[in-house]
Amino acid sequence: MDLFDAQGCLLLEKGKTVTKDIIERDQMREVYVVTYEWINKNHSDTLLSTGHQHHLNSLKRVYYEPNFIRQDYLHTATTIVAKLIRKSKENSGLPVDLSELESYDYSYVHSVNVALLATIVGLQMGYGPLMLNNLALGALLHDWGKLMIPCEILDKPSGLTAREFEIIKQHPGLGEQMLRSVIPSEEVLKIVRQHHERWNGQGYPDCLSGEAIYHGAQIVAMADVFDALTADRPYRKGLPPYHALEMILSRVNINFSSDVVKAFRSSLILYPENSRVTLNTGETGTVIAIPLGLPTRPVVRIISDWEGHPVKKEKIVDLLHDLSLSVSAIDFSSAHLTQDMRMNGV
C-alpha cells in the first residue's frame, strides 16, 4: 500500500522497504494509508449553475455527485466563493490577485475547493455573513505562502527529505507575513497561519492544540486534508470522497475538532434511500442500513456480482464488520428513480 501525507504527497511507495531514515523523516507527519480500487466513471457535469461555472469550473472535479452536498449549502457557498474570486480578478475590493496561484502547481484549484468546503461547514455551524466571508477568504488564501516554496519541492512525486519537509512547513508563516500588509482581518490571517495546526498539538508552525486553534482555522484544516486526499495528483488517483471521509472520521480529536467533523458530516448526503453502490470487489448492491457511528460503512444487499450477473441467492454484507470491503462508487440515479416511481404511484 502507498502512504501519503495530509497534502497528498507520497511518503512511501507500495513495495518499498521501510527504513530507519524513512521512519525518522515521517514520524511527525500525518500519514494516510491508501488501499482502494479506483473505478473510472463519467460523472455529472451539472453540479454548478451556469453563472458560476466560469469561476468555479474546477469544483466539478471533486463534487461530481449532485446530491453529495446539501444543495442549499452548495448554492450559498458557491455564491460567496465566486464573488470573492470575481473581486480578485477584477481588482475590485480584494487586495490580492488569486490568479498568481493558477500557474503554481495545483494550488489554485485546491484553494478554491477548500474555500467551498470550508464555507459549507461554516453554514452548517451557523456562521453569519461576515464570518462566512472571512472564512472563505482565509480558505482561498491558506496556501499563499507556497508562492515562496520552490515548485520542485511542491511537485516532487517521491518522498520529501527532512530538510525539504522543513521548507514546506514554512508556508503558513510565510503566507501570514506576505498578506499582513494587505489583509486587515486578523481572522483571515489566523486561518492562513494556523491551517496546519492539529487538535492534539502535533501540527505547525506553533504547535497549538484544541480550542487554542482559531475556529475558522480548524474548519480549513479539515477541508484542506479532505481535498488533498480526493485530488488527482501526477503520481496517484484521488480517493473517492467516501474513503476520504472515513479517514477524516478516524482522526476526530486527534487531528480535527469533533464539532467541525460533525458539521461536515451533517452537510453531506452520503447514501439516499435505495442508493446503489459499487464495492471494491466489483459487486453492486443497494444500501439498506447506515451505522450512526461510521456512516461510510453501510449494510449492502448485493444485487449483482463482479461480472454484472444478478445474484441468485440473497447476499447481505456489513462493511462495518468486514473491513476488507469498501464503497468505490455510488449511483444516485437509482435512488431518484425509486422516489419518482413512488410519487407516481408505481
Side-chain angles (χ1 to χ4, degrees):
M1 60 189 73
D2 294 334
L3 300 181
F4 295 91
D5 66 9
Q7 286 70 53
C9 294
L10 182 65
L11 300 179
L12 181 66
E13 288 184 55
K14 178 180 179 180
K16 296 291 185 180
T17 303
V18 181
T19 64
K20 180 179 178 181
D21 176 66
I22 290 174
I23 294 174
E24 291 176 350
R25 188 194 324 151
D26 301 329
Q27 62 182 352
M28 294 301 292
R29 306 191 206 182
E30 300 160 43
V31 178
Y32 295 85
V33 182
V34 178
T35 55
Y36 64 94
E37 298 295 329
W38 181 261
I39 294 181
N40 187 18
K41 288 183 175 289
N42 295 319
H43 300 300
S44 169
D45 287 331
T46 60
L47 175 62
L48 303 176
S49 64
T50 303
H52 295 142
Q53 284 190 10
H54 176 68
H55 296 293
L56 299 176
N57 190 55
S58 64
L59 297 174
K60 293 187 294 184
R61 176 188 54 77
V62 175
Y63 308 110
Y64 47 75
E65 307 288 11
N67 280 336
F68 185 60
I69 296 174
R70 279 184 48 175
Q71 294 299 289
D72 53 342
Y73 286 176
L74 181 59
H75 174 76
T76 302
T78 303
T79 301
I80 292 171
V81 175
K83 184 177 180 180
L84 288 171
I85 294 174
R86 186 169 60 251
K87 283 184 176 181
S88 168
K89 291 182 178 294
E90 296 173 355
N91 195 25
S92 58
L94 196 63
V96 292
D97 184 1
L98 291 169
S99 63
E100 290 187 43
L101 291 172
E102 290 191 63
S103 59
Y104 211 76
D105 81 328
Y106 81 121
S107 292
Y108 179 75
V109 172
H110 172 65
S111 295
V112 172
N113 286 334
V114 171
L116 182 72
L117 274 176
T119 306
I120 287 168
V121 175
L123 285 164
Q124 176 66 31
M125 302 194 82
Y127 275 32
L130 179 58
M131 291 180 67
L132 283 172
N133 190 79
N134 287 337
L135 178 63
L137 182 56
L140 282 170
L141 299 174
H142 77 281
D143 273 344
W144 197 254
K146 284 188 175 181
L147 292 173
M148 301 296 291
I149 305 297
C151 284
E152 56 266 26
I153 294 180
L154 293 177
D155 295 334
K156 188 176 180 181
S158 58
L160 298 174
T161 66
R163 183 175 181 279
E164 289 169 338
F165 185 53
E166 288 302 315
I167 293 174
I168 286 283
K169 288 168 65 176
Q170 295 175 14
H171 79 271
L174 289 172
E176 180 199 27
Q177 294 172 23
M178 295 165 68
L179 294 168
R180 183 161 288 281
S181 62
V182 294
I183 299 293
S185 170
E186 283 297 323
E187 288 76 15
V188 172
L189 294 173
K190 286 179 181 177
I191 289 173
V192 173
R193 183 175 182 85
Q194 297 179 16
H195 73 277
H196 276 287
E197 301 291 353
R198 293 297 179 256
W199 193 256
N200 62 0
Q202 297 299 309
Y204 60 86
D206 302 313
C207 297
L208 301 177
S209 63
E211 296 297 344
I213 305 168
Y214 176 62
H215 197 263
Q218 295 177 29
I219 294 175
V220 172
M222 186 212 62
D224 181 31
V225 172
F226 182 85
D227 187 71
L229 291 171
T230 56
D232 288 342
R233 301 305 301 273
Y235 41 85
R236 53 94 176 161
K237 284 286 190 180
L239 286 169
Y242 321 103
H243 291 205
L245 178 61
E246 191 169 322
M247 290 182 173
I248 295 292
L249 291 171
S250 73
R251 305 302 289 178
V252 169
N253 291 328
I254 301 173
N255 292 342
F256 312 113
S257 158
S258 59
D259 290 342
V260 169
V261 175
K262 181 180 178 181
F264 180 47
R265 168 64 187 92
S266 297
S267 69
L268 305 178
I269 305 172
L270 286 180
Y271 303 110
E273 183 182 4
N274 294 309
S275 53
R276 184 170 298 181
V277 297
T278 301
L279 302 182
N280 58 332
T281 58
E283 298 169 298
T284 60
T286 302
V287 173
I288 59 175
I290 303 172
L292 293 176
L294 196 55
T296 55
R297 294 198 157 272
V299 178
V300 178
R301 177 182 286 113
I302 301 299
I303 58 178
S304 63
D305 62 22
W306 65 277
E307 293 183 318
H309 303 310
V311 295
K312 297 181 179 179
K313 294 183 179 180
E314 183 176 65
K315 179 181 180 181
I316 295 177
V317 295
D318 186 343
L319 273 63
L320 187 60
H321 294 132
D322 188 346
L323 299 182
S324 68
L325 299 175
S326 61
V327 174
S328 295
I330 181 170
D331 178 10
F332 287 102
S333 62
S334 58
H336 294 165
L337 178 60
T338 301
Q339 293 167 3
D340 291 343
M341 290 173 66
R342 288 178 177 175
M343 292 177 64
N344 289 290
V346 177

